[in-house]
Amino acid sequence: MKKIKLLFFVLLATSHVVFSQTTFSWRNDQNPANNASWENTSPYYFWNGTGGAIPGGAEILFFDGTAGTLMTNNLSALNRYGISFGSTSATSRTLNGSSTNVFYDYSNNIPYIYNGAGVTHTINFPFNIGNTSTSTSPSYGMEINASSGNINIGSAISADNSTGTKVLVLRASSSGTGIITLSGIISDGSGTISISKIENNTAILVANNTYTGTTTVTAGTLQLQGSIASSNVTVQASGKLVINGDVTINNLTVVFGGTIEVLSGSNFTVAGSVHEVLGSTIIRSTGAMTINGADSETWSLFTIENDAELTINGSAAVFGSSFVIESNSSGTGSLIANGTTSGSISVERYITAWSDATHGWHLLSSPVASQAIQTEFVPDPPTSNEDFYSWDETALTLPWINSESSSGVWNTSFGTSNFVDGAGYLVAYSTNQTKTFSGTPNYSDVSKSGLTYTSGNSNTGWHLLGNPFPSALYWNKTAWGLSNIDATAKIWVESSASYTDIVAATGIIPAMQGFMVHVNASTGSLTIDAADRTHNTQAWYKDTEINKIKLIAYDTEGNTAQESIIKVDGNATTGFDNEFDSKFLPGYAPQFYSVIADGNLSTNVIPEITSALTIPLSFVKNSSNTYYIEAEGINSLEQQEMVYLTDNKINHTQILNDNPRYNFTSEEGDVSERFIIHFSPLSVQELNLDELVKVFATNSNIEIRTQRPIDAEIIAYSISGQIIGKGRLVNSSVASINISDFNGPAIVSIVTAKQSINKKVIVW
């Protein structure tokens, strides 16, 4: 269970003094049947010490033995002092009834329900808490004591009259561990009710309760499954408050040592303020905690554990010492402060080590202002155990700038020695690391302007930005004001060693994550909108978009993978659309992308699917040889289509609807235009031969490559018409003609049964 810890000591000793109340004992010797009536007279089911009798009010009802497991409280006398289940009451009992009883003090004693039986007993008749003396100590109205065995109260509880506040104490004396479950609604009635949880057992409030008095957890655990929206809650040093559902309270005070636990799937809202938050940890997994009121205290000694979420909606959040957001291999905590922030927090980021040359790279950004790079992220001097790079779009060759110079010291050409807000960096470490950002958390918009577009370099228009917040962030959901920037961004996926595309409004950028954007002309700008912050624990690369086919080329030897996306949108064109398509950006995985006249695309959005549509897909191998392509989302097409994948190298077509996985190998020298996606059976004669064939010369050979296997005769001529070589394609896409004794221009003629073309090459 994951945790946020709140650490504060109040010892509440309890006792009740019994004077002269009469005890009415349940008569097991009369063998009462199920649904036995408490008003029964023949025989009497209660014994008052001298004979059978019907309880007349203000007495103790004592149950022992095993007879009568189900009974009905239909007594006409409604006053109760105590109900006690003795140690030999070894069979669970259920006490039903519809009339409201009143538990009230008698001779300055405390009314109670007590279980010493070691089994669970249930009370299902409603009751009120009556007058209570304020001249004795303790001076509360009633206690429910699960000393040995559980107590379930399935009925409503309220106050009997308006004289003072009635404190309902939930406890388990003698180091008991019985669980108290109150399922009915607890309301003020004609008075005011407060609840006090003492001793080390657990009590559970199930309903959405309406009482307006305080709730105090002095020891043990109080679990809320419903709201107590009108109650101010205090968690003392030895107390724990557990949230298990959608729960709202009013104000929250946590004393040093107290603990709050928000269980998975729960939503915990503090409608008012949090006070005295000192040395506390909220324990949680995927629940959410929201503070809506102004915070009157400094947030100090506070830890948000990994996968925990905290939202502060007050106008200002002041952070003191030791406010920590934790991170480990399972996840990272999340903080959203919707007002101004001041003071300093520590935000951890777990970073997995490199395992080879392609895995272990991460795109990193800072969630706090003015974070220094040295020495937390790069030691002084730098060593061989880390890599830390910034990105320069204007570089003519390699855009990555190493923080370490060739002489082994800090590289003065790297740029600023601090993280730049909204910028991303490429990092890798030789061992698993938990790095810590320290400073004031960013909470407002971050503008990025002057993003360059440098023609002719190796990565024209690409810029590495970063999520500047200690929470996840939607990409361009609200008002980012993209200017000359493509609408699709890219996230680096360490496990597949490649980039994947994220789309506006739904794409998630994790906390402290860098991301790539593409400037398409002149200079670009955008504003990272703080309104798009979100707590998100689902992996960002998963989605359920309609009209989207995701093709993933997996490298089975190097454990890398590259996505290629095909989407359908009636507003798109067949050319490149800045607002829909995304240029391909290679990583370490095999290159796999759609090919259009305007370039190579990782996301190719088309206006419609027709039977004549073909989409060429290029594949460029990495160092591996064995691969497979897997298709996802074919069933998401609004108009169901047959989707075919044709491998041009071996002239094989597979229907992806029937089998979405295609296995293949690739070798050096394979033509990159290897695959075609189409939506009806494909015929070679339907293709333009000139577009199908490529011819080039290398190492005294003329090489012929086709997009798919064909049958063709090949003849190579000198410029004077002399035949210098012959070859043939027989259901093949690769041919080679050796011309080791020839240099100069040549004409290559490719002839099929229906078409012929000539290609010119220079042989050296």
Side-chain angles (χ1 to χ4, degrees):
M1 201 60 64
K2 301 176 173 66
K3 309 175 179 180
I4 297 173
K5 278 172 189 169
L6 302 169
L7 300 173
F8 304 121
F9 175 71
V10 174
L11 177 63
L12 193 60
T14 64
S15 64
H16 58 263
V17 180
V18 178
F19 285 87
S20 57
Q21 284 84 356
T22 301
T23 297
F24 280 68
S25 299
W26 188 248
R27 298 183 66 182
N28 290 275
D29 61 313
Q30 297 301 317
N31 295 316
N34 276 341
N35 293 316
S37 168
W38 288 4
E39 284 277 1
N40 198 65
T41 59
S42 181
Y44 291 104
Y45 287 145
F46 281 102
W47 182 270
N48 66 2
T50 59
I54 296 175
E59 65 284 298
I60 299 170
L61 304 183
F62 180 77
F63 298 90
D64 230 339
T66 60
T69 58
L70 181 67
M71 56 190 71
T72 302
N73 173 7
N74 56 354
L75 296 174
S76 57
L78 301 177
N79 293 334
R80 303 276 81 78
Y81 169 70
I83 293 179
S84 180
F85 298 94
S87 61
T88 65
S89 183
T91 301
S92 295
R93 286 186 165 99
T94 299
L95 282 55
N96 292 322
S98 57
S99 299
T100 300
N101 285 218
V102 179
F103 285 85
Y104 72 102
D105 65 317
Y106 179 85
S107 301
N108 295 328
N109 295 302
I110 306 302
Y112 64 90
I113 297 172
Y114 174 85
N115 186 2
V119 296
T120 298
H121 294 294
T122 301
I123 294 177
N124 286 331
F125 58 82
F127 60 84
N128 292 346
I129 304 172
N131 291 339
T132 184
S133 170
T134 59
S135 61
T136 61
S137 180
S139 57
Y140 46 83
M142 180 180 177
E143 69 175 35
I144 300 177
N145 188 342
S147 178
S148 178
N150 303 331
I151 298 176
N152 295 335
I153 307 295
S155 52
I157 302 173
S158 62
D160 186 52
N161 60 52
S162 59
T163 304
T165 297
K166 310 302 182 295
V167 180
L168 175 60
V169 171
L170 308 176
R171 62 177 299 202
S173 60
S174 304
S175 301
T177 58
I179 298 173
I180 301 169
T181 302
L182 308 182
S183 301
I185 294 175
I186 305 172
S187 62
D188 284 340
S190 57
T192 302
I193 284 185
S194 291
I195 287 182
S196 176
K197 174 66 188 70
I198 65 173
E199 298 175 335
N200 291 326
N201 66 321
T202 295
I204 303 171
L205 307 187
V206 176
N208 289 321
N209 296 301
T210 62
Y211 68 91
T212 61
T214 60
T215 302
T216 303
V217 187
T218 300
T221 298
L222 178 64
Q223 181 181 127
L224 300 180
Q225 296 182 4
S227 292
I228 47 174
S230 299
S231 181
N232 296 332
V233 178
T234 297
V235 182
Q236 298 285 0
S238 298
K240 175 191 285 188
L241 180 67
V242 174
I243 306 301
N244 186 14
D246 292 337
V247 174
T248 298
I249 68 172
N250 192 17
N251 295 311
L252 173 64
T253 299
V254 188
V255 182
F256 185 85
T259 301
I260 296 177
E261 179 176 348
V262 182
L263 299 184
S264 175
S266 300
N267 293 287
F268 181 34
T269 300
V270 181
S273 301
V274 175
H275 300 277
E276 301 176 24
V277 179
L278 299 170
S280 44
T281 298
I282 294 176
I283 309 171
R284 58 200 310 178
S285 67
T286 57
M289 181 175 181
T290 302
I291 312 299
N292 284 329
D295 186 73
S296 59
E297 308 290 340
T298 298
W299 293 78
S300 299
L301 301 173
F302 193 101
T303 301
I304 304 176
E305 292 196 355
N306 59 295
D307 289 343
E309 305 165 7
L310 174 64
T311 302
I312 304 173
N313 287 328
S315 60
V318 181
F319 297 98
S321 60
S322 300
F323 186 104
V324 179
I325 301 175
E326 292 187 337
S327 177
N328 62 24
S329 59
S330 299
T332 300
S334 181
L335 169 68
I336 296 177
N338 286 317
T340 61
T341 62
S342 60
S344 180
I345 69 172
S346 297
V347 186
E348 296 179 353
R349 181 63 171 177
Y350 181 83
I351 302 173
T352 54
W354 67 57
S355 56
D356 53 41
T358 61
H359 293 90
W361 294 102
H362 305 267
L363 299 185
L364 187 67
S365 60
S366 175
V368 303
S370 305
Q371 170 66 51
I373 295 173
Q374 287 188 307
T375 57
E376 176 64 19
F377 296 88
V378 177
D380 186 12
T383 71
S384 60
N385 294 320
E386 76 283 333
D387 289 302
F388 198 100
Y389 293 86
S390 62
W391 174 276
D392 182 8
E393 188 274 343
T394 65
L396 295 179
T397 53
L398 292 177
W400 297 111
I401 302 175
N402 196 339
S403 61
E404 180 182 4
S405 70
S406 58
S407 59
V409 297
W410 180 262
N411 182 3
T412 56
S413 300
F414 178 82
T416 176
S417 59
N418 287 350
F419 280 83
V420 175
D421 288 347
Y425 300 84
L426 177 69
V427 304
Y429 296 92
S430 61
T431 59
N432 294 339
Q433 299 282 314
T434 300
K435 296 298 185 180
T436 301
F437 296 90
S438 300
T440 303
N442 296 317
Y443 67 91
S444 58
D445 297 351
V446 174
S447 296
K448 307 298 290 184
S449 60
L451 302 178
T452 54
Y453 181 88
T454 307
S455 299
N457 70 3
S458 60
N459 290 279
T460 298
W462 288 106
H463 288 266
L464 177 54
L465 305 184
N467 177 355
F469 305 112
S471 69
L473 178 71
Y474 283 109
W475 158 249
N476 191 25
K477 182 178 182 180
T478 305
W480 287 45
L482 302 187
S483 176
N484 293 330
I485 293 179
D486 295 345
T488 299
K490 295 182 184 295
I491 292 287
W492 178 258
V493 182
E494 186 277 334
S495 60
S496 63
S498 63
Y499 292 98
T500 193
D501 294 346
I502 56 172
V503 297
T506 59
I508 294 291
I509 305 167
M512 294 167 278
Q513 170 79 52
F515 59 98
M516 285 287 190
V517 299
H518 185 255
V519 175
N520 52 56
S522 183
T523 58
S525 64
L526 57 77
T527 297
I528 302 174
D529 194 339
D532 288 349
R533 290 172 294 169
T534 183
H535 297 301
N536 188 283
T537 56
Q538 176 175 305
W540 53 267
Y541 51 85
K542 294 181 180 178
D543 56 68
T544 55
E545 288 186 71
I546 62 171
N547 286 329
K548 173 180 175 179
I549 300 173
K550 180 188 290 186
L551 301 166
I552 309 172
Y554 289 96
D555 156 20
T556 62
E557 300 167 29
N559 295 317
T560 66
Q562 179 63 60
E563 297 178 0
S564 184
I565 306 298
I566 299 169
K567 296 175 63 176
V568 182
D569 190 311
N571 296 312
T573 69
T574 56
F576 180 74
D577 303 303
N578 294 331
E579 64 271 34
F580 297 115
D581 299 322
S582 183
K583 299 280 189 179
F584 178 75
L585 184 62
Y588 293 111
Q591 298 181 36
F592 185 49
Y593 48 82
S594 295
V595 180
I596 65 171
D598 296 322
N600 303 329
L601 306 181
S602 54
T603 294
N604 183 7
V605 184
I606 56 178
E608 61 178 340
I609 292 176
T610 66
S611 60
L613 177 65
T614 61
I615 302 175
L617 292 170
S618 281
F619 181 88
V620 180
K621 73 184 296 293
N622 54 11
S623 59
S624 299
N625 298 299
T626 306
Y627 305 90
Y628 66 91
I629 293 171
E630 190 159 47
E632 299 177 2
I634 290 176
N635 293 330
S636 76
L637 299 175
E638 287 187 321
Q639 180 177 340
Q640 290 298 304
E641 301 281 355
M642 298 299 294
V643 181
Y644 301 81
L645 174 71
T646 293
D647 185 341
N648 294 322
K649 179 179 179 180
I650 63 172
N651 193 25
H652 175 78
T653 297
Q654 181 167 304
I655 301 175
L656 296 178
N657 307 66
D658 299 334
N659 182 5
R661 175 167 169 163
Y662 177 67
N663 298 288
F664 65 100
T665 60
S666 183
E667 302 170 346
E668 295 294 338
D670 284 354
V671 175
S672 60
E673 296 87 352
R674 177 161 179 174
F675 299 102
I676 299 175
I677 287 289
H678 48 106
F679 302 90
S680 63
L682 196 61
S683 170
V684 174
Q685 283 67 35
E686 295 173 356
L687 299 175
N688 186 311
L689 190 60
D690 188 54
E691 297 177 353
L692 189 69
V693 177
K694 286 188 175 182
V695 178
F696 56 94
T698 178
N699 297 327
S700 299
N701 288 318
I702 294 176
E703 302 289 340
I704 298 91
R705 302 287 187 270
T706 65
Q707 291 187 19
R708 58 170 299 169
I710 62 173
D711 295 326
E713 297 290 335
I714 305 168
I715 304 176
Y717 301 89
S718 69
I719 200 71
S720 62
Q722 178 185 1
I723 296 176
I724 58 176
K726 291 184 178 181
R728 176 176 292 179
L729 287 167
V730 180
N731 193 28
S732 176
S733 60
V734 178
S736 181
I737 302 174
N738 182 267
I739 47 173
S740 57
D741 57 350
F742 178 83
N743 289 320
I747 303 297
V748 180
S749 177
I750 299 99
V751 181
T752 70
K754 293 188 176 182
Q755 301 180 59
S756 65
I757 59 168
N758 293 322
K759 298 276 188 176
K760 183 178 180 180
V761 296
I762 305 296
V763 182
W764 299 106

